[in-house]
Amino acid sequence: MGKVAEGSVDISVKEVMALADREWRAMGVIEADRAGLVDDLRSELTGAAAEGLTPRQLLGADIRGFLRALAAGAGVRRVPHEFRRLFLTAFAGALPGLVLAWILLWERPLPLEPSPWLLTSQYLAFSLLVLVGALVAVRWGMRGTAVIGPTVSRMALLVPLAGALATPVVMGFAALVDYSTALPAVAVEAAIVAAALGGAIVLARRWALAPALGPARAEASGVA
């Protein structure tokens, strides 16, 4: 089903229910409370439809805003994704490693014909330092956050994998630029590591929240 247009005139109960489930999942509403909200909303919409009212007439023009306000007013339990805070905390933990890698590469340029083993060990060491720093920062900087323990444990699996995948990419790029220590080249290498780290964080957090949020509820089949 396509995305519901906010300004569209006609919207079915089925579409509203699917939109509600997506919106409440994005808010981090746990599965049990989300199920109750979905059932209550479906009852209200079907009752209104029996009286000749459309969902938009009942909910207003800003359906997403109504759904968010409904969940907030119901006092539902939430485990928000907090991606922004996760990224900032992980970046803070990774920053010392990134700075150290930059200083060492800048102050101690590689020999004219660097050994592959030397390059491999250097890039692995820098990547490991960055990734471990991010893990420690998230674990301690976000202690008390919902489901942060499972998030960190899953990061412990996914972040090293991301680092292992990023390392040959970084080394390949370094070879393309003749192992340059110029700022643009090092910045690109750092960006590759950061992208891998960011992807691992997103996957780890979603994986950790999956048991609480549950699967997306199927659309109400048979509801017009």
Side-chain angles (χ1 to χ4, degrees), residues 64-210:
R64 287 185 172 85
F66 176 89
L67 294 172
R68 289 191 293 270
L70 179 63
V76 293
R77 293 165 291 177
R78 297 175 56 195
V79 281
H81 293 84
E82 296 197 77
F83 287 134
R84 187 179 185 317
R85 188 180 173 196
L86 272 172
F87 283 130
L88 291 176
T89 305
F91 177 74
L95 188 59
L98 291 172
V99 171
L100 180 60
W102 163 252
I103 291 174
L104 291 178
L105 286 172
W106 182 262
E107 297 295 336
R108 299 174 57 189
L110 294 171
L112 294 178
E113 295 183 1
S115 164
W117 290 108
L118 174 63
L119 292 173
T120 300
S121 62
Q122 282 189 335
Y123 281 111
L124 283 175
F126 292 147
S127 298
L128 183 61
L129 184 60
V130 168
L131 298 175
V132 169
L135 282 174
V136 172
V138 171
R139 178 63 183 88
W140 294 105
M142 296 186 65
R143 58 187 180 278
T145 303
V147 202
I148 199 59
T151 298
V152 172
S153 65
R154 284 157 176 76
M155 284 178 64
L157 291 175
L158 296 178
V159 171
L161 177 60
L165 293 175
T167 298
V169 176
V170 171
M171 293 181 64
F173 174 80
L176 287 176
V177 296
D178 293 327
Y179 305 103
S180 171
T181 58
L183 178 58
V186 176
V188 170
E189 294 166 3
I192 294 172
V193 175
L197 175 63
I201 290 173
V202 170
L203 291 176
R205 186 62 173 168
R206 289 188 181 278
W207 185 8
L209 290 177

Side-chain angles (χ1 to χ4, degrees), residues 19-86:
L19 178 61
D21 189 59
R22 292 196 301 272
E23 201 69 32
W24 293 334
R25 279 179 60 84
M27 291 177 65
V29 179
I30 68 171
E31 182 180 14
D33 289 359
R34 198 169 76 250
L37 284 175
V38 166
D39 291 341
D40 290 344
L41 180 60
R42 182 188 295 111
S43 178
E44 290 291 332
L45 290 174
T46 52
E51 296 178 3
L53 293 176
T54 67
R56 196 171 294 280
Q57 288 175 320
L58 181 66
L59 306 182
D62 184 7
I63 294 179
R64 287 185 172 85
F66 176 89
L67 294 172
R68 289 191 293 270
L70 179 63
V76 293
R77 293 165 291 177
R78 297 175 56 195
V79 281
H81 293 84
E82 296 197 77
F83 287 134
R84 187 179 185 317
R85 188 180 173 196
L86 272 172

